[in-house]
Amino acid sequence: MHETSRHTILAIDDHPLFRKGVADLIDMDDTLEMVGEAANGQDGLELAKSLQPDLILLDINMKGMSGIDTLKAMKQEDIDSLILMLTVSDNEEDVLTALRIGADGYLLKDMEPEDILGSIRKAMEGTVVISDHLTQLLAKALRDEDKLVEDKSPTPLTSREQEILEHISNGMSNKLIAKTLSISEGTVKVHVKHLLKKLNLHSRTEAAVWALRRL
Amino acid sequence: MHETSRHTILAIDDHPLFRKGVADLIDMDDTLEMVGEAANGQDGLELAKSLQPDLILLDINMKGMSGIDTLKAMKQEDIDSLILMLTVSDNEEDVLTALRIGADGYLLKDMEPEDILGSIRKAMEGTVVISDHLTQLLAKALRDEDKLVEDKSPTPLTSREQEILEHISNGMSNKLIAKTLSISEGTVKVHVKHLLKKLNLHSRTEAAVWALRRL
DNA sequence: TGTATTATACCCTATAATGGGTAGGTGTTA
DNA sequence: TAACACCTACCCATTATAGGGTATAATACA
């Protein structure tokens, strides 16, 4: 172990209290050092670039720029810090997406502090760390290959389709959406039809659930 | 101020790290003392009964027994501690519900630690504390009386209706629900019809959204 | 026991939504 | 220019939902 320099860590989370908890946790380990905090993805990205920390703790559920988006941006900017995603939810899609983009681990916030510390140390050693009960999820996802194949080539929704999906996830009817967007109801139906096909869903209710589940 | 005894606080939240943050925060104030922690509603309820703290910090979004349910249970058990709800979301329904049941305040987790401490102190003095931008929400809700009148006399859903609502919020069709519950599709439709009327909604998609929003 | 609630199942009709098709206009890109 | 993707809008048919009704059996409760 290098006594001269501790491993540097940057925490990105929009809950001050949670950041404080993490900071205290990291203080407890002599080999780790918290070098920065950010309350949102934008600031986090900037800090990541300027501080070049060894490891970044990145919350998934943030207002504005999501953790996933932030992760994408970091990868595009060739930030070579280790990145551990922190989240409250074990949403399978998020886990797969994050790991696919290149996250180095995926931790649930309800882990015990000791386990979180342990995971950080493991990650420093190059291990991809994943919360225990998420590994089961992953194993399951790997078993039915469909999920991976599907997600590998996800026909992306057009912006109009996304817009309409959002309205659906708000409980709106085609007629209302049509009025809101000032287009014909028939056109809305076409978009709904396409978006259902692309997402491999079979009803607007499924679509609403799908959309709401991934925030 | 009584120098002899500090105000006692119990924190109920399923995120250990968050509890730690709160604990540290409370340690900073000489007039406050953290006397207990619980990771779920059940344990929280028991601790509340045995410790009889002056104030309880209660997270809304918990696995299993929700914060709202825990709050209800505490009120039924005649626990006379002050109860501050802590949550990440500013869901209007939750706020109204919590305050109606008798919460003494409603704080958002993304508040600054100082503000949270301040709110706790205010609550101790008997003030109902509510996060700033929630007050706007409340004002709005008060303006259109419908919301209050509606929620004041909520025709409760029967267990069967709740069961079916849950399936709807899972994206299931009437036909599938019928098969799952081994009843006729027509019966499912009746239940859906009734539940929509009771909740004052107009489509299953709205129902799904409604159900998902309140977890 | 009588009454209220609940779950069940069917009737009806009207409207909403799904899932195919074709097709014109626009903007981008090879 | 030609190919392509997208938004728009309509055609068609089928199915699903919504909302109203009546009615029966079981259960819960006073």
PDB file of all heavy atoms in Angstrom, chain A residues 157-168 177-184 187-188 190-192 194-195 198, chain D residues 6-9:
ATOM      1  N   LEU A 157     -36.353   5.465 -29.569  1.00  0.00           N
ATOM      2  CA  LEU A 157     -37.581   6.216 -29.831  1.00  0.00           C
ATOM      3  C   LEU A 157     -37.213   7.578 -30.410  1.00  0.00           C
ATOM      4  O   LEU A 157     -36.219   8.179 -30.025  1.00  0.00           O
ATOM      5  CB  LEU A 157     -38.347   6.427 -28.525  1.00  0.00           C
ATOM      6  CG  LEU A 157     -38.883   5.183 -27.816  1.00  0.00           C
ATOM      7  CD1 LEU A 157     -39.794   5.592 -26.668  1.00  0.00           C
ATOM      8  CD2 LEU A 157     -39.625   4.285 -28.771  1.00  0.00           C
ATOM      9  N   THR A 158     -38.043   8.029 -31.348  1.00  0.00           N
ATOM     10  CA  THR A 158     -37.839   9.377 -31.873  1.00  0.00           C
ATOM     11  C   THR A 158     -38.271  10.354 -30.795  1.00  0.00           C
ATOM     12  O   THR A 158     -38.960   9.979 -29.843  1.00  0.00           O
ATOM     13  CB  THR A 158     -38.678   9.620 -33.138  1.00  0.00           C
ATOM     14  OG1 THR A 158     -40.055   9.634 -32.760  1.00  0.00           O
ATOM     15  CG2 THR A 158     -38.432   8.540 -34.158  1.00  0.00           C
ATOM     16  N   SER A 159     -37.894  11.602 -30.948  1.00  0.00           N
ATOM     17  CA  SER A 159     -38.211  12.575 -29.903  1.00  0.00           C
ATOM     18  C   SER A 159     -39.722  12.721 -29.757  1.00  0.00           C
ATOM     19  O   SER A 159     -40.244  12.893 -28.659  1.00  0.00           O
ATOM     20  CB  SER A 159     -37.581  13.916 -30.216  1.00  0.00           C
ATOM     21  OG  SER A 159     -38.059  14.404 -31.447  1.00  0.00           O
ATOM     22  N   ARG A 160     -40.419  12.644 -30.888  1.00  0.00           N
ATOM     23  CA  ARG A 160     -41.865  12.745 -30.832  1.00  0.00           C
ATOM     24  C   ARG A 160     -42.447  11.577 -30.058  1.00  0.00           C
ATOM     25  O   ARG A 160     -43.377  11.741 -29.257  1.00  0.00           O
ATOM     26  CB  ARG A 160     -42.431  12.764 -32.256  1.00  0.00           C
ATOM     27  CG  ARG A 160     -43.828  13.322 -32.410  1.00  0.00           C
ATOM     28  CD  ARG A 160     -44.014  14.647 -31.747  1.00  0.00           C
ATOM     29  NE  ARG A 160     -45.085  15.441 -32.347  1.00  0.00           N
ATOM     30  CZ  ARG A 160     -45.484  16.613 -31.906  1.00  0.00           C
ATOM     31  NH1 ARG A 160     -44.896  17.135 -30.834  1.00  0.00           N
ATOM     32  NH2 ARG A 160     -46.447  17.285 -32.500  1.00  0.00           N
ATOM     33  N   GLU A 161     -41.895  10.404 -30.302  1.00  0.00           N
ATOM     34  CA  GLU A 161     -42.382   9.218 -29.607  1.00  0.00           C
ATOM     35  C   GLU A 161     -42.102   9.313 -28.107  1.00  0.00           C
ATOM     36  O   GLU A 161     -42.951   8.967 -27.285  1.00  0.00           O
ATOM     37  CB  GLU A 161     -41.731   7.961 -30.203  1.00  0.00           C
ATOM     38  CG  GLU A 161     -42.291   7.590 -31.580  1.00  0.00           C
ATOM     39  CD  GLU A 161     -41.394   6.651 -32.369  1.00  0.00           C
ATOM     40  OE1 GLU A 161     -40.259   6.383 -31.919  1.00  0.00           O
ATOM     41  OE2 GLU A 161     -41.822   6.210 -33.449  1.00  0.00           O
ATOM     42  N   GLN A 162     -40.943   9.800 -27.780  1.00  0.00           N
ATOM     43  CA  GLN A 162     -40.620   9.986 -26.367  1.00  0.00           C
ATOM     44  C   GLN A 162     -41.598  10.957 -25.717  1.00  0.00           C
ATOM     45  O   GLN A 162     -42.057  10.740 -24.595  1.00  0.00           O
ATOM     46  CB  GLN A 162     -39.204  10.540 -26.214  1.00  0.00           C
ATOM     47  CG  GLN A 162     -38.115   9.521 -26.468  1.00  0.00           C
ATOM     48  CD  GLN A 162     -36.737  10.136 -26.339  1.00  0.00           C
ATOM     49  OE1 GLN A 162     -36.497  10.960 -25.463  1.00  0.00           O
ATOM     50  NE2 GLN A 162     -35.831   9.746 -27.230  1.00  0.00           N
ATOM     51  N   GLU A 163     -41.885  12.006 -26.467  1.00  0.00           N
ATOM     52  CA  GLU A 163     -42.792  13.035 -25.960  1.00  0.00           C
ATOM     53  C   GLU A 163     -44.157  12.412 -25.652  1.00  0.00           C
ATOM     54  O   GLU A 163     -44.748  12.643 -24.599  1.00  0.00           O
ATOM     55  CB  GLU A 163     -42.927  14.115 -27.033  1.00  0.00           C
ATOM     56  CG  GLU A 163     -43.467  15.436 -26.534  1.00  0.00           C
ATOM     57  CD  GLU A 163     -43.464  16.460 -27.663  1.00  0.00           C
ATOM     58  OE1 GLU A 163     -43.052  16.100 -28.798  1.00  0.00           O
ATOM     59  OE2 GLU A 163     -43.897  17.598 -27.425  1.00  0.00           O
ATOM     60  N   ILE A 164     -44.612  11.606 -26.593  1.00  0.00           N
ATOM     61  CA  ILE A 164     -45.923  10.986 -26.423  1.00  0.00           C
ATOM     62  C   ILE A 164     -45.897   9.937 -25.322  1.00  0.00           C
ATOM     63  O   ILE A 164     -46.842   9.817 -24.542  1.00  0.00           O
ATOM     64  CB  ILE A 164     -46.398  10.411 -27.773  1.00  0.00           C
ATOM     65  CG1 ILE A 164     -46.860  11.596 -28.639  1.00  0.00           C
ATOM     66  CG2 ILE A 164     -47.508   9.394 -27.592  1.00  0.00           C
ATOM     67  CD1 ILE A 164     -47.255  11.244 -30.028  1.00  0.00           C
ATOM     68  N   LEU A 165     -44.797   9.222 -25.217  1.00  0.00           N
ATOM     69  CA  LEU A 165     -44.665   8.244 -24.139  1.00  0.00           C
ATOM     70  C   LEU A 165     -44.759   8.946 -22.785  1.00  0.00           C
ATOM     71  O   LEU A 165     -45.385   8.448 -21.849  1.00  0.00           O
ATOM     72  CB  LEU A 165     -43.331   7.506 -24.247  1.00  0.00           C
ATOM     73  CG  LEU A 165     -43.008   6.526 -23.116  1.00  0.00           C
ATOM     74  CD1 LEU A 165     -44.110   5.485 -22.969  1.00  0.00           C
ATOM     75  CD2 LEU A 165     -41.673   5.843 -23.356  1.00  0.00           C
ATOM     76  N   GLU A 166     -44.156  10.115 -22.728  1.00  0.00           N
ATOM     77  CA  GLU A 166     -44.191  10.859 -21.467  1.00  0.00           C
ATOM     78  C   GLU A 166     -45.625  11.227 -21.106  1.00  0.00           C
ATOM     79  O   GLU A 166     -46.036  11.132 -19.952  1.00  0.00           O
ATOM     80  CB  GLU A 166     -43.331  12.108 -21.605  1.00  0.00           C
ATOM     81  CG  GLU A 166     -42.772  12.590 -20.292  1.00  0.00           C
ATOM     82  CD  GLU A 166     -41.756  13.696 -20.498  1.00  0.00           C
ATOM     83  OE1 GLU A 166     -40.849  13.500 -21.335  1.00  0.00           O
ATOM     84  OE2 GLU A 166     -41.894  14.756 -19.853  1.00  0.00           O
ATOM     85  N   HIS A 167     -46.377  11.637 -22.109  1.00  0.00           N
ATOM     86  CA  HIS A 167     -47.770  11.981 -21.858  1.00  0.00           C
ATOM     87  C   HIS A 167     -48.568  10.751 -21.428  1.00  0.00           C
ATOM     88  O   HIS A 167     -49.434  10.835 -20.566  1.00  0.00           O
ATOM     89  CB  HIS A 167     -48.386  12.614 -23.091  1.00  0.00           C
ATOM     90  CG  HIS A 167     -47.954  14.046 -23.308  1.00  0.00           C
ATOM     91  ND1 HIS A 167     -47.480  14.520 -24.499  1.00  0.00           N
ATOM     92  CD2 HIS A 167     -47.911  15.091 -22.470  1.00  0.00           C
ATOM     93  CE1 HIS A 167     -47.160  15.798 -24.387  1.00  0.00           C
ATOM     94  NE2 HIS A 167     -47.411  16.169 -23.156  1.00  0.00           N
ATOM     95  N   ILE A 168     -48.265   9.631 -22.074  1.00  0.00           N
ATOM     96  CA  ILE A 168     -48.937   8.386 -21.686  1.00  0.00           C
ATOM     97  C   ILE A 168     -48.627   8.076 -20.224  1.00  0.00           C
ATOM     98  O   ILE A 168     -49.506   7.707 -19.455  1.00  0.00           O
ATOM     99  CB  ILE A 168     -48.470   7.211 -22.576  1.00  0.00           C
ATOM    100  CG1 ILE A 168     -49.047   7.364 -23.992  1.00  0.00           C
ATOM    101  CG2 ILE A 168     -48.898   5.879 -21.983  1.00  0.00           C
ATOM    102  CD1 ILE A 168     -48.609   6.284 -24.951  1.00  0.00           C
ATOM    103  N   ILE A 177     -53.751  13.952 -25.661  1.00  0.00           N
ATOM    104  CA  ILE A 177     -52.384  14.161 -26.156  1.00  0.00           C
ATOM    105  C   ILE A 177     -52.449  14.920 -27.477  1.00  0.00           C
ATOM    106  O   ILE A 177     -51.684  15.857 -27.713  1.00  0.00           O
ATOM    107  CB  ILE A 177     -51.655  12.814 -26.342  1.00  0.00           C
ATOM    108  CG1 ILE A 177     -51.499  12.110 -24.997  1.00  0.00           C
ATOM    109  CG2 ILE A 177     -50.293  13.029 -26.980  1.00  0.00           C
ATOM    110  CD1 ILE A 177     -50.933  10.694 -25.097  1.00  0.00           C
ATOM    111  N   ALA A 178     -53.394  14.507 -28.316  1.00  0.00           N
ATOM    112  CA  ALA A 178     -53.552  15.160 -29.624  1.00  0.00           C
ATOM    113  C   ALA A 178     -53.827  16.642 -29.439  1.00  0.00           C
ATOM    114  O   ALA A 178     -53.202  17.497 -30.070  1.00  0.00           O
ATOM    115  CB  ALA A 178     -54.686  14.495 -30.400  1.00  0.00           C
ATOM    116  N   LYS A 179     -54.764  16.955 -28.550  1.00  0.00           N
ATOM    117  CA  LYS A 179     -55.098  18.355 -28.296  1.00  0.00           C
ATOM    118  C   LYS A 179     -53.879  19.098 -27.767  1.00  0.00           C
ATOM    119  O   LYS A 179     -53.571  20.206 -28.195  1.00  0.00           O
ATOM    120  CB  LYS A 179     -56.234  18.445 -27.276  1.00  0.00           C
ATOM    121  CG  LYS A 179     -57.621  18.340 -27.883  1.00  0.00           C
ATOM    122  CD  LYS A 179     -58.687  18.511 -26.806  1.00  0.00           C
ATOM    123  CE  LYS A 179     -60.052  18.056 -27.324  1.00  0.00           C
ATOM    124  NZ  LYS A 179     -61.005  17.818 -26.218  1.00  0.00           N
ATOM    125  N   THR A 180     -53.199  18.472 -26.835  1.00  0.00           N
ATOM    126  CA  THR A 180     -52.040  19.119 -26.216  1.00  0.00           C
ATOM    127  C   THR A 180     -50.959  19.426 -27.248  1.00  0.00           C
ATOM    128  O   THR A 180     -50.343  20.486 -27.224  1.00  0.00           O
ATOM    129  CB  THR A 180     -51.448  18.206 -25.128  1.00  0.00           C
ATOM    130  OG1 THR A 180     -52.482  17.881 -24.203  1.00  0.00           O
ATOM    131  CG2 THR A 180     -50.318  18.908 -24.396  1.00  0.00           C
ATOM    132  N   LEU A 181     -50.746  18.477 -28.159  1.00  0.00           N
ATOM    133  CA  LEU A 181     -49.661  18.650 -29.125  1.00  0.00           C
ATOM    134  C   LEU A 181     -50.152  19.299 -30.418  1.00  0.00           C
ATOM    135  O   LEU A 181     -49.369  19.525 -31.344  1.00  0.00           O
ATOM    136  CB  LEU A 181     -49.021  17.294 -29.432  1.00  0.00           C
ATOM    137  CG  LEU A 181     -48.389  16.567 -28.246  1.00  0.00           C
ATOM    138  CD1 LEU A 181     -47.767  15.263 -28.689  1.00  0.00           C
ATOM    139  CD2 LEU A 181     -47.335  17.451 -27.587  1.00  0.00           C
ATOM    140  N   SER A 182     -51.470  19.542 -30.483  1.00  0.00           N
ATOM    141  CA  SER A 182     -52.048  20.144 -31.689  1.00  0.00           C
ATOM    142  C   SER A 182     -51.781  19.307 -32.933  1.00  0.00           C
ATOM    143  O   SER A 182     -51.371  19.822 -33.975  1.00  0.00           O
ATOM    144  CB  SER A 182     -51.516  21.565 -31.903  1.00  0.00           C
ATOM    145  OG  SER A 182     -51.887  22.382 -30.826  1.00  0.00           O
ATOM    146  N   ILE A 183     -52.000  18.025 -32.807  1.00  0.00           N
ATOM    147  CA  ILE A 183     -51.946  17.147 -33.976  1.00  0.00           C
ATOM    148  C   ILE A 183     -53.200  16.286 -33.925  1.00  0.00           C
ATOM    149  O   ILE A 183     -53.942  16.332 -32.942  1.00  0.00           O
ATOM    150  CB  ILE A 183     -50.687  16.242 -33.968  1.00  0.00           C
ATOM    151  CG1 ILE A 183     -50.637  15.410 -32.686  1.00  0.00           C
ATOM    152  CG2 ILE A 183     -49.430  17.089 -34.119  1.00  0.00           C
ATOM    153  CD1 ILE A 183     -49.442  14.484 -32.615  1.00  0.00           C
ATOM    154  N   SER A 184     -53.457  15.529 -34.984  1.00  0.00           N
ATOM    155  CA  SER A 184     -54.680  14.733 -34.992  1.00  0.00           C
ATOM    156  C   SER A 184     -54.536  13.517 -34.096  1.00  0.00           C
ATOM    157  O   SER A 184     -53.429  13.026 -33.867  1.00  0.00           O
ATOM    158  CB  SER A 184     -55.002  14.283 -36.416  1.00  0.00           C
ATOM    159  OG  SER A 184     -54.393  13.044 -36.679  1.00  0.00           O
ATOM    160  N   THR A 187     -52.731  10.667 -35.658  1.00  0.00           N
ATOM    161  CA  THR A 187     -51.274  10.749 -35.640  1.00  0.00           C
ATOM    162  C   THR A 187     -50.720  10.271 -34.303  1.00  0.00           C
ATOM    163  O   THR A 187     -49.714   9.554 -34.258  1.00  0.00           O
ATOM    164  CB  THR A 187     -50.819  12.192 -35.902  1.00  0.00           C
ATOM    165  OG1 THR A 187     -51.350  12.602 -37.160  1.00  0.00           O
ATOM    166  CG2 THR A 187     -49.322  12.294 -35.935  1.00  0.00           C
ATOM    167  N   VAL A 188     -51.400  10.660 -33.262  1.00  0.00           N
ATOM    168  CA  VAL A 188     -50.970  10.188 -31.941  1.00  0.00           C
ATOM    169  C   VAL A 188     -50.991   8.668 -31.923  1.00  0.00           C
ATOM    170  O   VAL A 188     -50.043   8.027 -31.450  1.00  0.00           O
ATOM    171  CB  VAL A 188     -51.883  10.737 -30.828  1.00  0.00           C
ATOM    172  CG1 VAL A 188     -51.483  10.160 -29.483  1.00  0.00           C
ATOM    173  CG2 VAL A 188     -51.823  12.255 -30.792  1.00  0.00           C
ATOM    174  N   VAL A 190     -50.621   6.619 -34.314  1.00  0.00           N
ATOM    175  CA  VAL A 190     -49.489   6.084 -35.069  1.00  0.00           C
ATOM    176  C   VAL A 190     -48.238   6.069 -34.196  1.00  0.00           C
ATOM    177  O   VAL A 190     -47.518   5.073 -34.144  1.00  0.00           O
ATOM    178  CB  VAL A 190     -49.231   6.921 -36.331  1.00  0.00           C
ATOM    179  CG1 VAL A 190     -47.964   6.459 -37.022  1.00  0.00           C
ATOM    180  CG2 VAL A 190     -50.418   6.829 -37.261  1.00  0.00           C
ATOM    181  N   HIS A 191     -48.008   7.184 -33.522  1.00  0.00           N
ATOM    182  CA  HIS A 191     -46.821   7.256 -32.669  1.00  0.00           C
ATOM    183  C   HIS A 191     -46.896   6.205 -31.565  1.00  0.00           C
ATOM    184  O   HIS A 191     -45.910   5.543 -31.275  1.00  0.00           O
ATOM    185  CB  HIS A 191     -46.692   8.659 -32.059  1.00  0.00           C
ATOM    186  CG  HIS A 191     -46.319   9.708 -33.054  1.00  0.00           C
ATOM    187  ND1 HIS A 191     -45.242   9.593 -33.891  1.00  0.00           N
ATOM    188  CD2 HIS A 191     -46.890  10.899 -33.360  1.00  0.00           C
ATOM    189  CE1 HIS A 191     -45.162  10.662 -34.666  1.00  0.00           C
ATOM    190  NE2 HIS A 191     -46.150  11.476 -34.365  1.00  0.00           N
ATOM    191  N   VAL A 192     -48.070   6.075 -30.968  1.00  0.00           N
ATOM    192  CA  VAL A 192     -48.233   5.089 -29.900  1.00  0.00           C
ATOM    193  C   VAL A 192     -47.956   3.691 -30.458  1.00  0.00           C
ATOM    194  O   VAL A 192     -47.228   2.897 -29.853  1.00  0.00           O
ATOM    195  CB  VAL A 192     -49.664   5.136 -29.307  1.00  0.00           C
ATOM    196  CG1 VAL A 192     -49.868   3.996 -28.337  1.00  0.00           C
ATOM    197  CG2 VAL A 192     -49.892   6.472 -28.622  1.00  0.00           C
ATOM    198  N   HIS A 194     -46.118   2.821 -32.957  1.00  0.00           N
ATOM    199  CA  HIS A 194     -44.691   2.640 -33.203  1.00  0.00           C
ATOM    200  C   HIS A 194     -43.902   2.451 -31.912  1.00  0.00           C
ATOM    201  O   HIS A 194     -43.027   1.599 -31.825  1.00  0.00           O
ATOM    202  CB  HIS A 194     -44.148   3.847 -33.976  1.00  0.00           C
ATOM    203  CG  HIS A 194     -44.639   3.908 -35.387  1.00  0.00           C
ATOM    204  ND1 HIS A 194     -44.620   5.050 -36.148  1.00  0.00           N
ATOM    205  CD2 HIS A 194     -45.208   2.959 -36.173  1.00  0.00           C
ATOM    206  CE1 HIS A 194     -45.126   4.792 -37.344  1.00  0.00           C
ATOM    207  NE2 HIS A 194     -45.495   3.538 -37.381  1.00  0.00           N
ATOM    208  N   LEU A 195     -44.241   3.261 -30.940  1.00  0.00           N
ATOM    209  CA  LEU A 195     -43.492   3.195 -29.687  1.00  0.00           C
ATOM    210  C   LEU A 195     -43.741   1.869 -28.964  1.00  0.00           C
ATOM    211  O   LEU A 195     -42.826   1.310 -28.350  1.00  0.00           O
ATOM    212  CB  LEU A 195     -43.765   4.455 -28.890  1.00  0.00           C
ATOM    213  CG  LEU A 195     -44.317   4.781 -27.525  1.00  0.00           C
ATOM    214  CD1 LEU A 195     -45.045   6.098 -27.607  1.00  0.00           C
ATOM    215  CD2 LEU A 195     -45.143   3.746 -26.881  1.00  0.00           C
ATOM    216  N   LYS A 198     -41.624  -0.668 -30.842  1.00  0.00           N
ATOM    217  CA  LYS A 198     -40.200  -0.514 -30.547  1.00  0.00           C
ATOM    218  C   LYS A 198     -39.838  -1.031 -29.159  1.00  0.00           C
ATOM    219  O   LYS A 198     -38.778  -1.618 -28.951  1.00  0.00           O
ATOM    220  CB  LYS A 198     -39.790   0.956 -30.667  1.00  0.00           C
ATOM    221  CG  LYS A 198     -39.636   1.437 -32.096  1.00  0.00           C
ATOM    222  CD  LYS A 198     -39.195   2.892 -32.131  1.00  0.00           C
ATOM    223  CE  LYS A 198     -39.039   3.371 -33.584  1.00  0.00           C
ATOM    224  NZ  LYS A 198     -38.709   4.820 -33.637  1.00  0.00           N
TER     225      LYS A 198
ATOM    226  P    DC D   6     -36.026   7.803 -37.373  1.00  0.00           P
ATOM    227  OP1  DC D   6     -35.209   8.043 -36.167  1.00  0.00           O
ATOM    228  OP2  DC D   6     -36.695   6.497 -37.610  1.00  0.00           O
ATOM    229  O5'  DC D   6     -37.139   8.946 -37.472  1.00  0.00           O
ATOM    230  C5'  DC D   6     -36.720  10.312 -37.509  1.00  0.00           C
ATOM    231  C4'  DC D   6     -37.885  11.183 -37.917  1.00  0.00           C
ATOM    232  O4'  DC D   6     -38.206  10.963 -39.295  1.00  0.00           O
ATOM    233  C3'  DC D   6     -39.177  10.904 -37.152  1.00  0.00           C
ATOM    234  O3'  DC D   6     -39.373  11.952 -36.202  1.00  0.00           O
ATOM    235  C2'  DC D   6     -40.277  10.918 -38.228  1.00  0.00           C
ATOM    236  C1'  DC D   6     -39.535  11.383 -39.473  1.00  0.00           C
ATOM    237  N1   DC D   6     -40.045  10.790 -40.749  1.00  0.00           N
ATOM    238  C2   DC D   6     -40.621  11.640 -41.700  1.00  0.00           C
ATOM    239  O2   DC D   6     -40.690  12.848 -41.459  1.00  0.00           O
ATOM    240  N3   DC D   6     -41.102  11.109 -42.864  1.00  0.00           N
ATOM    241  C4   DC D   6     -41.001   9.802 -43.086  1.00  0.00           C
ATOM    242  N4   DC D   6     -41.471   9.321 -44.223  1.00  0.00           N
ATOM    243  C5   DC D   6     -40.419   8.920 -42.123  1.00  0.00           C
ATOM    244  C6   DC D   6     -39.957   9.454 -40.970  1.00  0.00           C
ATOM    245  P    DC D   7     -40.592  11.888 -35.195  1.00  0.00           P
ATOM    246  OP1  DC D   7     -40.171  12.615 -33.993  1.00  0.00           O
ATOM    247  OP2  DC D   7     -41.061  10.486 -35.117  1.00  0.00           O
ATOM    248  O5'  DC D   7     -41.755  12.728 -35.927  1.00  0.00           O
ATOM    249  C5'  DC D   7     -41.477  14.057 -36.347  1.00  0.00           C
ATOM    250  C4'  DC D   7     -42.645  14.556 -37.179  1.00  0.00           C
ATOM    251  O4'  DC D   7     -42.678  13.844 -38.435  1.00  0.00           O
ATOM    252  C3'  DC D   7     -44.022  14.349 -36.531  1.00  0.00           C
ATOM    253  O3'  DC D   7     -44.688  15.601 -36.418  1.00  0.00           O
ATOM    254  C2'  DC D   7     -44.758  13.388 -37.481  1.00  0.00           C
ATOM    255  C1'  DC D   7     -44.005  13.592 -38.789  1.00  0.00           C
ATOM    256  N1   DC D   7     -44.013  12.395 -39.690  1.00  0.00           N
ATOM    257  C2   DC D   7     -44.445  12.536 -41.017  1.00  0.00           C
ATOM    258  O2   DC D   7     -44.831  13.640 -41.413  1.00  0.00           O
ATOM    259  N3   DC D   7     -44.446  11.446 -41.822  1.00  0.00           N
ATOM    260  C4   DC D   7     -44.026  10.276 -41.372  1.00  0.00           C
ATOM    261  N4   DC D   7     -44.039   9.235 -42.210  1.00  0.00           N
ATOM    262  C5   DC D   7     -43.574  10.112 -40.024  1.00  0.00           C
ATOM    263  C6   DC D   7     -43.580  11.195 -39.222  1.00  0.00           C
ATOM    264  P    DT D   8     -46.089  15.657 -35.654  1.00  0.00           P
ATOM    265  OP1  DT D   8     -46.229  17.050 -35.151  1.00  0.00           O
ATOM    266  OP2  DT D   8     -46.173  14.522 -34.733  1.00  0.00           O
ATOM    267  O5'  DT D   8     -47.156  15.457 -36.810  1.00  0.00           O
ATOM    268  C5'  DT D   8     -47.224  16.407 -37.865  1.00  0.00           C
ATOM    269  C4'  DT D   8     -47.984  15.850 -39.047  1.00  0.00           C
ATOM    270  O4'  DT D   8     -47.286  14.686 -39.575  1.00  0.00           O
ATOM    271  C3'  DT D   8     -49.377  15.329 -38.754  1.00  0.00           C
ATOM    272  O3'  DT D   8     -50.309  16.383 -38.841  1.00  0.00           O
ATOM    273  C2'  DT D   8     -49.599  14.316 -39.884  1.00  0.00           C
ATOM    274  C1'  DT D   8     -48.197  14.001 -40.390  1.00  0.00           C
ATOM    275  N1   DT D   8     -47.858  12.559 -40.351  1.00  0.00           N
ATOM    276  C2   DT D   8     -47.971  11.826 -41.496  1.00  0.00           C
ATOM    277  O2   DT D   8     -48.346  12.296 -42.558  1.00  0.00           O
ATOM    278  N3   DT D   8     -47.644  10.495 -41.380  1.00  0.00           N
ATOM    279  C4   DT D   8     -47.217   9.858 -40.224  1.00  0.00           C
ATOM    280  O4   DT D   8     -46.954   8.663 -40.236  1.00  0.00           O
ATOM    281  C5   DT D   8     -47.117  10.687 -39.054  1.00  0.00           C
ATOM    282  C7   DT D   8     -46.680  10.098 -37.769  1.00  0.00           C
ATOM    283  C6   DT D   8     -47.433  11.983 -39.159  1.00  0.00           C
ATOM    284  P    DA D   9     -51.777  16.194 -38.336  1.00  0.00           P
ATOM    285  OP1  DA D   9     -52.485  17.491 -38.513  1.00  0.00           O
ATOM    286  OP2  DA D   9     -51.673  15.607 -37.009  1.00  0.00           O
ATOM    287  O5'  DA D   9     -52.436  15.140 -39.334  1.00  0.00           O
ATOM    288  C5'  DA D   9     -52.587  15.478 -40.696  1.00  0.00           C
ATOM    289  C4'  DA D   9     -53.206  14.290 -41.433  1.00  0.00           C
ATOM    290  O4'  DA D   9     -52.220  13.241 -41.531  1.00  0.00           O
ATOM    291  C3'  DA D   9     -54.389  13.670 -40.690  1.00  0.00           C
ATOM    292  O3'  DA D   9     -55.597  13.991 -41.360  1.00  0.00           O
ATOM    293  C2'  DA D   9     -54.120  12.165 -40.725  1.00  0.00           C
ATOM    294  C1'  DA D   9     -52.933  12.049 -41.662  1.00  0.00           C
ATOM    295  N9   DA D   9     -52.035  10.938 -41.326  1.00  0.00           N
ATOM    296  C8   DA D   9     -51.327  10.747 -40.173  1.00  0.00           C
ATOM    297  N7   DA D   9     -50.612   9.642 -40.150  1.00  0.00           N
ATOM    298  C5   DA D   9     -50.875   9.066 -41.382  1.00  0.00           C
ATOM    299  C6   DA D   9     -50.429   7.878 -41.975  1.00  0.00           C
ATOM    300  N6   DA D   9     -49.599   7.031 -41.384  1.00  0.00           N
ATOM    301  N1   DA D   9     -50.892   7.595 -43.218  1.00  0.00           N
ATOM    302  C2   DA D   9     -51.730   8.453 -43.811  1.00  0.00           C
ATOM    303  N3   DA D   9     -52.220   9.607 -43.348  1.00  0.00           N
ATOM    304  C4   DA D   9     -51.747   9.852 -42.121  1.00  0.00           C
TER     305       DA D   9
END
